[in-house]
Amino acid sequence: MSPEKGQVYPQNIAVTGLNSSENLAAGAPVIRSLRAVPAFTGKVVALAYDALDAGLYVPGLVDTSYLLPYPSQGLAALTARLSHVATQTPLDLIIPCLDSELQSFIRLESFLTAQGIHTLLPTEEQLVARTKANLAGLTARCGVAVPETRVVFTRGHAAQGLAGLPFPIVVKGCFCEAYVAYTPAQAAGYFDRLAMRWGVPVIVQEYLTGIEFNVAALGDSTGKMLGAVAMRKVILSNTGKAWSGVTIHDPTLLTLVQDIFTGLRWRGPIEIEVLKAARDGQWYLLEINPRFPAWIHLATAAGQNLPFATVRAALGEVVQPFTTYAAGLRYVRYAQDMICDPAEFDRLTAIGEIRREDHDERTI
Amino acid sequence: MDTRVDGARWSTMSVSAAGSLFDPGTGYAYTLNPVAVAIITAWKADESPDRLRAALLERFEVDTRTLERDLMEFMRRVKWLGLVT
């Protein structure tokens, strides 16, 4: 729900996930949602991993930008860098938007709290419970159906597919990316590609046909669901990412999402991917992503500003759950070439930061 | 031919002023002609098949035989689309 009349939010909020390839991260849409709230008067601090993350160059989007070490460089490097950022730009809150960094931020929660930096993150146990490799375990925990799934560590096992089930199968990377394999040879080839890119294990899953839906949702610090907006992908990119979508409202789907919250007691942002199978009309849980999706601004436009609700819940406010949203609202993604100011690019690559104090003069 | 449908399900669907039908359960939208708008509006109001036929005969220039044929075709199409079970 909206903040109380007259209340302002002068906090400085750091957001990650500013990269904008075909696989768009949620950072920029999350910031757009924060900027849509007049009561938010603080600064937006971009925490990026690459000087060419496009969100850094969108006029009016961020006030200050810092480069972070990649998660593979370890917690000590991230801790040192965040300590430096906090001395330069006081931070009140961080909203991580990338799967691969979540574990690091969860492990740093005590450090961040000690620095006065708020977060709203799942526990490490919750994070692990929703991984693709552990998805089947959610059937017992949350009462949701999951496609037949097998975790594999070798290309030979990937080529074997699923016992008792014919090809095609779906071969999935442990963080993202998925391919439909029609033959054992294809499955082995996709295993190589995904293992090289994302590491092992690789997940082999039953191929189900039907209608896919995605749900963006948020849980408060006690695991209570604060809001959920469902969307059907309308246009897909070559890698299956949504390029256009429409909000939908199905009470049975929202009940399933509530069951997942009840089972996991999830804290923080989440995206739940489900499929209504053509063969039996049943809902199947395909994936749970532990952060907001790139289409999160659609949820804001539909009436549930979940990124801003994250801010309020992380700051310790008691946030009343959203109860409605507009069904039938569509979005279509737009790609644009951002011109990078040479001086800003130089500062990012040389010293890893840009500080702007003039965002009011910019336009979003 | 039976043209009764599940009124509860249709009550959740919306028909826009421009004549498109939106199913909030699936996110699919359908373009309707004026006859389809009239039929679906009657379904949403849970009107009886007799009242629907009478309303269509009054509003559109159509004889009873053609109306039955067109209604049959319409029912076949909405069933194929999964809008009616």
Side-chain angles (χ1 to χ4, degrees), chain A residues 39-304:
Chain A
F40 171 57
T41 59
K43 286 186 165 48
V44 173
V45 179
L47 300 177
Y49 292 96
D50 194 299
L52 280 176
D53 281 358
L56 301 174
Y57 301 99
V58 177
L61 193 70
V62 302
D63 299 295
T64 306
S65 306
Y66 293 93
L67 289 187
L68 294 184
Y70 280 102
S72 57
Q73 292 183 39
L75 273 188
L78 180 60
T79 309
R81 185 60 178 160
L82 289 173
S83 297
H84 168 76
V85 170
T87 60
Q88 301 299 306
T89 307
L91 298 180
D92 298 292
L93 204 138
I94 296 180
I95 304 178
C97 292
L98 299 171
D99 297 24
S100 55
E101 67 188 5
L102 250 288
Q103 192 177 53
S104 301
F105 278 103
I106 291 169
R107 290 181 176 178
L108 286 183
E109 199 171 349
S110 305
F111 162 76
L112 295 170
T113 304
Q115 303 281 316
I117 302 171
H118 300 264
T119 55
L120 188 65
L121 301 172
T123 63
E124 199 159 353
E125 187 273 330
Q126 291 169 336
L127 185 73
V128 172
R130 45 56 52 192
T131 56
K132 294 182 181 74
N134 292 331
L135 205 64
L138 295 184
T139 300
R141 192 164 171 174
C142 306
V144 295
V146 173
E148 192 72 35
T149 300
R150 186 170 162 230
V151 178
V152 295
F153 290 84
T154 67
R155 66 194 317 270
H157 285 135
Q160 286 171 4
L162 291 151
L165 289 176
F167 276 78
I169 58 169
V170 184
V171 187
K172 293 183 163 185
C174 58
F175 282 118
C176 57
E177 239 179 291
Y179 298 95
V180 178
Y182 290 87
T183 64
Q186 263 189 335
Y190 289 140
F191 174 90
D192 290 340
R193 184 185 299 188
L194 293 167
M196 189 180 298
R197 192 153 186 186
W198 302 108
V200 289
V202 166
I203 289 81
V204 173
Q205 204 169 65
E206 178 185 12
Y207 177 69
L208 291 175
T209 58
I211 309 176
E212 274 188 51
F213 298 91
N214 292 24
V215 181
L218 176 69
D220 71 7
S221 59
T222 65
K224 182 175 77 176
M225 191 171 85
L226 292 180
V229 175
M231 180 274 282
R232 181 176 63 79
K233 297 175 182 178
V234 175
I235 298 177
L236 298 181
S237 70
N238 289 338
T239 55
K241 302 296 173 187
W243 203 257
S244 173
V246 57
T247 54
I248 65 109
H249 190 276
D250 184 320
T252 61
L253 173 56
L254 294 176
T255 300
L256 178 140
V257 171
Q258 181 63 68
D259 290 344
I260 291 172
F261 268 86
T262 304
L264 285 177
R265 302 180 63 77
W266 187 267
R267 290 197 312 182
I270 192 170
E271 183 193 27
I272 297 166
E273 299 186 13
V274 296
L275 180 138
K276 193 168 199 176
R279 69 180 182 196
D280 55 11
Q282 190 179 349
W283 293 108
Y284 287 87
L285 176 64
L286 298 180
E287 268 183 47
I288 293 181
N289 298 314
R291 38 78 189 157
F292 284 130
W295 56 271
I296 190 62
H297 197 63
L298 177 69
T300 299
Q304 295 195 10

Side-chain angles (χ1 to χ4, degrees), chain B residues 54-73:
Chain B
L56 292 173
L57 284 168
E58 187 180 320
R59 181 170 164 192
F60 298 99
E61 270 191 33
V62 62
D63 58 68
T64 310
R65 192 173 162 195
T66 307
L67 175 69
E68 287 303 320
R69 190 193 63 203
D70 287 354
L71 274 175
M72 192 180 300
E73 170 63 14

